[in-house]
């Protein structure tokens, strides 16, 4: 089906989104929309958080998966469905299949977080661990579909999936009719395409902005080229939007209905996740925090009221621990330093006393005496400090230099 056609088809697609909304009644939650005073003060206009991290299965993916599977013919449902995912789509397909009485097999990478694997099994799917990256896992799922006749449920590249995700856009317009800008994370593009289609069909004055991680930003070059292009070996902590190539179906919709796609750094992602935890009391995965990262990066460029879509909250606890530490460092709340000192009694005590004067809390310290880089009377100290912001980090570093310590920088 082509979406770049005359206006009547656009109205038909809006009708499809409305039909999906009716289909999802009693299945997907109408998730809360919460105001954010902190972000509102930064932007200079009201900012609201659309909390899809509180959706069943922890993300918006249930919407599209349910609509897609519900639309299968009886013989297709009898053959079962198969999907490939590192987490959110896996859980969405698993729960949707259970609700619809369809057998589901989900392929996940060998290194998928254990909580996501366990949750997918708990929702009733058979989980097969295969491949080191999602591309290899998807290939395994496609081969399974060819061998068994199971229907492959793609995470974003199908019209039914897109109209299911578009129900988020309808809810936004109902919950915040005065909205002027919607900001949403973009991976393959299903969510942004669905929201753009639904919102622009009803309110063409609303600006829709997509956000990608810098290390996995396939849409900016694709939009510039006029067709999907591949980003080789995408790298980002935001695994929910870590997609190397836009989907063909969402690409055309995003080109027409999304006003722009911005990119954000890893530091911005971790800072945004930390802000959601501290200020909004919401657990959000890095992909879900990407729109918040865009607001933090350039708050004055958004016309309010702004709605930020927090697309998911399925973050692995081990990753959360690393991301929080990264976010604290990016925000000047955590400082790691290496110093070279004279190896004599009392030096470490003097160093710690100097840190007490500048009110830096020592979280961890290690003392290295045997290293080929060190002279006979030298030692190296690695410090991990709790600090109060960028200015305090500079104050601590300068105080150590003024006290005669050689500051080498961050640990390698």
């Amino acid at each position: 089906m082509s979406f770049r056609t005359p206006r009547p088809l656009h109205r038909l697609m809006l009708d499809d989104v409305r039909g999906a909304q009716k289909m999802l009644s009693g299945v997907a939650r109408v998730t809360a929309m919460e105001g954010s005073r902190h972000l509102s003060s930064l932007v200079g206009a009201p900012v609201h958080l659309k909390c899809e991290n509180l959706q069943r299965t922890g993300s918006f993916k249930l919407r599209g998966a349910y609509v897609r599977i519900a639309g299968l013919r009886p013989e297709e449902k009898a053959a079962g469905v198969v999907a490939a995912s590192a987490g959110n789509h896996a859980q969405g397909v698993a729960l949707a299949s259970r609700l619809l009485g369809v057998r589901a097999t989900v392929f996940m990478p060998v290194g998928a977080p254990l909580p996501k694997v366990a949750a997918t099994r708990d929702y009733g799917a058979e989980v097969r661990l295969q491949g080191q990256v999602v591309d290899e896992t998807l290939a395994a799922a496609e081969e399974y579909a060819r061998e068994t006749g199971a229907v492959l449920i793609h995470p974003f590249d199908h019209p039914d999936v897109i109209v299911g995700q578009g129900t988020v856009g309808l809810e936004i317009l109902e919950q915040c009719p005065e909205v002027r800008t919607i900001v949403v994370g973009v991976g393959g593009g299903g969510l942004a395409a669905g929201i753009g289609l639904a919102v622009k069909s009803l309110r063409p004055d609303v600006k829709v902005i997509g956000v990608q991680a810098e290390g996995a930003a396939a849409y900016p070059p694709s939009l510039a080229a006029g067709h999907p292009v591949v980003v080789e070996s995408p790298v980002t902590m935001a695994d929910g939007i870590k997609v190397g190539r836009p989907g063909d179906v969402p690409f055309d919709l995003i080109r027409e209905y999304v006003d722009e796609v911005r990119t954000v750094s890893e530091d911005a992602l971790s800072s945004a996740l930390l802000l959601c935890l501290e200020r909004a009391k919401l657990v959000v995965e890095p992909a879900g925090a990407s729109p918040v990262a865009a607001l933090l990066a350039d708050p004055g460029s958004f016309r309010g009221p702004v709605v930020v879509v927090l697309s998911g909250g399925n973050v692995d606890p081990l990753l959360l621990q690393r991301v929080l530490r990264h976010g604290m460092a990016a925000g000047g709340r955590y400082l790691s330093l290496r110093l070279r000192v004279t190896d004599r009694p009392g030096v470490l005590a003097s160093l710690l006393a100097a840190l007490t004067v500048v009110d830096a809390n020592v979280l961890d310290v290690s003392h290295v005496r045997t290293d080929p880089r060190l002279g006979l009377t030298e030692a190296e100290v690695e410090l991990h400090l709790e600090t109060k912001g960028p200015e305090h980090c500079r104050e601590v570093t300068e105080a150590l230099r003024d006290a005669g310590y050689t500051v080498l920088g961050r640990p390698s």
Side-chain angles (χ1 to χ4, degrees):
M1 179 182 293
S2 172
F3 291 91
R4 298 190 62 78
T5 52
R7 188 65 187 168
L9 181 57
H10 294 177
R11 287 198 294 270
L12 174 63
M13 286 303 297
L14 175 60
D15 287 344
D16 287 343
V17 180
R18 286 174 168 152
Q21 188 177 41
K22 292 179 182 178
M23 184 184 296
L24 289 168
S25 178
V27 175
R29 294 175 182 144
V30 177
T31 50
M33 187 174 289
E34 301 288 343
S36 172
R37 283 181 293 179
H38 181 71
L39 290 173
S40 297
S41 65
L42 288 177
V43 172
V47 175
H48 306 279
L49 308 175
K50 177 60 172 168
C51 300
E52 282 295 291
N53 59 311
L54 302 180
Q55 184 57 261
R56 296 178 72 178
T57 74
S59 87
F60 70 96
K61 290 287 190 178
L62 171 65
R63 298 173 182 263
Y66 188 92
V67 173
R68 173 74 173 105
I69 298 170
L72 296 177
R73 298 187 302 273
E75 61 271 22
E76 291 176 320
K77 290 180 180 178
V81 299
V82 61
S85 168
N88 288 348
H89 182 57
Q91 293 172 68
V93 168
L95 178 57
S97 298
R98 189 182 78 187
L99 294 173
L100 291 164
V102 176
R103 184 179 70 258
T105 303
V106 176
F107 285 78
M108 303 182 75
V110 173
L114 294 179
K116 294 184 178 182
V117 174
T120 304
R121 286 191 173 122
D122 287 345
Y123 286 127
E126 177 189 348
V127 175
R128 300 191 180 191
L129 301 178
Q130 193 162 337
Q132 298 299 318
V133 295
V134 174
D135 287 343
E136 296 175 359
T137 305
L138 179 59
E142 291 171 338
E143 178 63 24
Y144 178 88
R146 285 190 293 270
E147 291 177 352
T148 66
V151 179
L152 179 68
I153 306 301
H154 199 281
F156 51 82
D157 208 7
H158 192 280
D160 288 348
V161 172
I162 291 171
V163 297
Q165 322 303 28
T167 59
V168 177
L170 295 182
E171 289 179 17
I172 290 172
L173 293 182
E174 292 164 1
Q175 294 172 306
C176 185
E178 68 278 15
V179 62
R180 302 296 295 278
T181 305
I182 297 172
V183 193
V184 56
V186 179
L191 178 61
I195 289 176
L197 168 64
V199 170
K200 291 285 193 176
S201 296
L202 291 167
R203 288 277 307 281
D205 61 299
V206 175
K207 190 171 187 178
V208 180
I209 298 176
V211 182
Q212 292 204 290
E214 286 178 354
Y219 265 93
S222 296
L223 291 169
H227 58 83
V229 299
V230 177
V231 172
E232 299 292 344
S233 304
V235 177
T236 176
M237 71 175 77
D239 58 349
I241 54 174
K242 186 180 175 182
V243 178
R245 182 188 184 279
D248 293 322
V249 179
F251 175 78
D252 280 344
L253 288 164
I254 285 177
R255 184 166 55 168
E256 183 154 357
Y257 292 116
V258 174
D259 294 276
E260 62 174 301
V261 177
R262 303 185 182 188
T263 61
V264 292
S265 68
E266 298 297 285
D267 282 350
L269 286 169
S270 55
S271 295
L273 189 151
L274 184 61
L275 184 145
C276 288
L277 277 174
E278 287 191 323
R279 297 298 185 118
K281 316 306 177 191
L282 292 168
V283 177
V284 181
E285 60 191 271
S290 59
V292 176
L295 263 66
L296 295 178
D298 191 5
S301 65
F302 294 89
R303 182 180 61 176
V306 180
V307 172
V308 169
V309 181
L310 305 179
S311 58
N314 292 320
V315 57
D316 178 52
L318 293 177
L319 174 62
L320 180 61
Q321 183 180 31
R322 294 196 299 270
V323 169
L324 288 178
R325 182 167 172 174
H326 187 80
M328 290 179 68
R333 304 273 301 282
Y334 185 91
L335 178 64
S336 297
L337 292 173
R338 286 187 301 117
L339 295 88
R340 191 156 294 176
V341 300
T342 303
D343 188 16
R344 57 179 175 77
V347 168
L348 187 57
S350 299
L351 172 59
L352 297 178
L355 292 170
T356 301
V357 172
V358 291
D359 201 23
N361 185 33
V362 178
L363 300 175
D364 191 27
V365 58
S366 62
H367 198 193
V368 179
R369 288 188 176 90
T370 55
D371 191 294
R373 297 174 298 172
L374 298 174
L376 185 62
T377 60
E378 290 180 323
E380 195 168 280
V381 176
E382 182 177 311
L383 295 168
H384 300 278
L385 309 172
E386 183 181 3
T387 46
K388 302 174 183 178
E391 185 58 38
H392 191 213
C393 289
R394 288 189 288 271
E395 179 186 344
V396 170
T397 304
E398 290 304 315
L400 292 173
R401 289 196 175 107
D402 291 345
Y405 296 101
T406 301
V407 180
L408 303 175
R410 293 179 180 270
S412 59

